[in-house]
């Protein structure tokens, strides 16, 4: 699907067209098309009361997945707890990391500051996504632990907040826990959506079902709202900690020299902030393909002019 027109949103007033499109998406085996993919794009400019959507995106809701992580870190910032953390530690709290040695060391530092051990993490273990780290564990005959989970930074941040706020650390994933209620209140504050259905994410934490337009709005605020500045600054200062080598969100932030803030979510979700411009982008692939999602988002960013020609030609994006 390659829509050439936009739907007018009923949520925000827009009188003009905008070149936000989903490019034609297909995968080929040699010269023959094997698969065709389609999805939705929302571009929000809340300060201008503008929302631009490809067909169907204005009505689409889906799970925020790991693109929610910067907002799951917001209670730390709002309560002033982030002052006790380094910028690198805050970046890894927002991460879907690859489990490199640097990632793991930072997660352990956060837990140490909270006087907790990795046993407190309730995300469960899985092998590092980083090839070198995974091979090293294999050679040492060591089984992965919860710190190797790509969500361990988020969980460590949640536990750190609970310790600082004097809250129970054994039930921190319960949707009724004060921490989770603070996260939901933050999402309501920055998205304008009051009723947010919940489910359970792959790491055991609550996951939020939101309109794609709300995700774009959230990222517009993430890129410009003063209250979110510590999170924004941490992610753009250390993009390699937010994902890892070769990960699309890391590369987008690196090649844009901090002008863009990006965060992947599983199953075809990816959100981008245009830092300082009050603009946010959210993309969802219908079939959940992350590989096709990555290529589509890079093409969209170039078409919008968010990636200049130098960034666009960077081999890491090809």
């Amino acid at each position: 699907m390659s829509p050439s027109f936009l739907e007018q949103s009923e949520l925000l007033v827009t009188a003009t067209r905008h070149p936000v499109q989903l490019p034609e998406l297909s995968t080929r085996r040699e010269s023959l098309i094997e698969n065709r993919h389609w999805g939705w794009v929302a571009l929000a400019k809340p300060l201008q009361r503008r929302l631009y959507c490809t067909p169907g995106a204005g009505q689409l809701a889906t799970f925020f997945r790991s693109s929610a992580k910067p907002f799951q870190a917001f209670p730390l910032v709002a309560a002033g707890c982030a002052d006790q953390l380094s910028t690198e530690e805050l970046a890894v709290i927002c991460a879907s990391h690859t489990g490199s040695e640097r990632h793991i060391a930072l997660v352990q530092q956060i837990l140490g500051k909270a006087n907790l051990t990795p046993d407190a993490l309730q995300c469960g273990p899985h092998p590092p996504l980083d090839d070198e780290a995974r091979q090293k564990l294999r050679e040492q005959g060591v089984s992965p632990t919860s710190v190797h989970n790509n969500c361990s930074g988020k969980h460590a941040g949640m536990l750190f907040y609970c310790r600082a706020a004097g809250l129970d650390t054994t039930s921190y994933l319960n949707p009724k826990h004060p921490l989770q209620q603070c996260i939901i209140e933050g999402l309501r504050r920055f998205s304008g959506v009051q009723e947010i259905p919940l489910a359970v994410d792959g790491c055991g934490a609550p996951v939020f079902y939101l309109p794609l337009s709300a995700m774009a709005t959230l990222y517009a605020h993430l890129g410009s709202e003063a209250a979110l500045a510590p999170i924004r600054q941490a992610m753009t200062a250390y993009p390699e900690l937010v994902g890892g080598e070769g990960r699309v969100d890391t590369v987008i932030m690196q090649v844009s020299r901090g002008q863009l803030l990006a965060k992947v979510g599983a199953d075809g979700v990816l959100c981008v902030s245009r830092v300082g411009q009050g603009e946010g982008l959210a993309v969802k692939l219908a079939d959940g393909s992350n590989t096709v999602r990555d290529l589509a988002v890079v093409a969209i960013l170039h078409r919008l002019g968010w990636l200049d020609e130098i960034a666009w030609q960077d081999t890491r994006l090809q």
Side-chain angles (χ1 to χ4, degrees), residues 141-311:
V142 176
S143 297
T145 69
S146 293
V147 295
H148 299 102
N149 188 302
N150 69 326
C151 294
S152 66
K154 175 181 75 176
H155 284 252
M158 289 179 173
L159 288 165
F160 185 87
Y161 172 84
C162 290
R163 277 292 210 209
L167 300 173
D168 179 55
T169 59
T170 63
S171 60
Y172 72 96
L173 296 183
N174 188 318
K176 295 182 179 179
H177 190 283
L179 163 65
Q180 300 301 334
Q181 291 298 303
C182 286
I183 292 170
I184 292 171
E185 283 304 312
L187 290 170
R188 289 171 177 157
R189 170 180 169 181
F190 295 112
S191 72
V193 177
Q194 298 305 305
E195 296 296 326
I196 303 177
L198 302 178
V200 179
D201 213 339
C203 67
V207 61
F208 316 101
Y209 195 73
L210 286 166
L212 195 69
S213 58
M215 297 180 196
T217 299
L218 283 161
Y219 269 72
H221 289 301
L222 180 59
S224 57
E225 189 78 32
L228 295 164
I231 295 169
R232 174 171 65 250
Q233 292 163 2
M235 293 177 72
T236 54
Y238 294 100
E240 71 279 7
L241 296 179
V242 175
E245 184 177 355
R247 300 271 287 180
V248 69
D249 43 9
T250 290
V251 175
I252 288 170
M253 289 188 280
Q254 288 173 333
V255 302
S256 68
R257 300 173 296 279
Q259 295 178 45
L260 299 179
L261 182 159
K263 182 69 191 72
V264 299
D267 288 307
V269 173
L270 201 157
C271 297
V272 183
S273 302
R274 196 176 185 193
V275 175
Q277 302 300 312
E279 299 179 18
L281 183 78
V283 175
K284 167 69 177 179
L285 267 288
D287 61 1
S289 171
N290 293 333
T291 300
V292 177
R293 169 207 65 193
D294 295 354
L295 297 171
V297 168
V298 171
I300 292 165
L301 294 175
H302 180 243
R303 182 173 294 173
L304 290 172
W306 289 17
L307 284 176
D308 61 27
E309 286 301 320
I310 294 176

Side-chain angles (χ1 to χ4, degrees), residues 90-154:
L90 184 55
V92 86
I93 286 170
C94 299
S96 296
H97 64 73
T98 57
S100 70
E101 288 187 3
R102 188 177 177 196
H103 290 128
I104 300 308
L106 287 166
V107 172
Q108 291 172 331
Q109 284 177 202
I110 296 164
L111 291 170
K113 288 183 176 182
N115 293 316
L116 292 168
T117 67
D119 292 339
L121 296 169
Q122 295 180 22
C123 52
H126 67 59
L129 302 178
D130 180 79
D131 291 339
E132 183 178 338
R134 188 169 60 252
Q135 179 63 24
K136 189 172 182 178
L137 286 182
R138 190 178 297 120
E139 290 173 353
Q140 294 174 341
V142 176
S143 297
T145 69
S146 293
V147 295
H148 299 102
N149 188 302
N150 69 326
C151 294
S152 66
K154 175 181 75 176

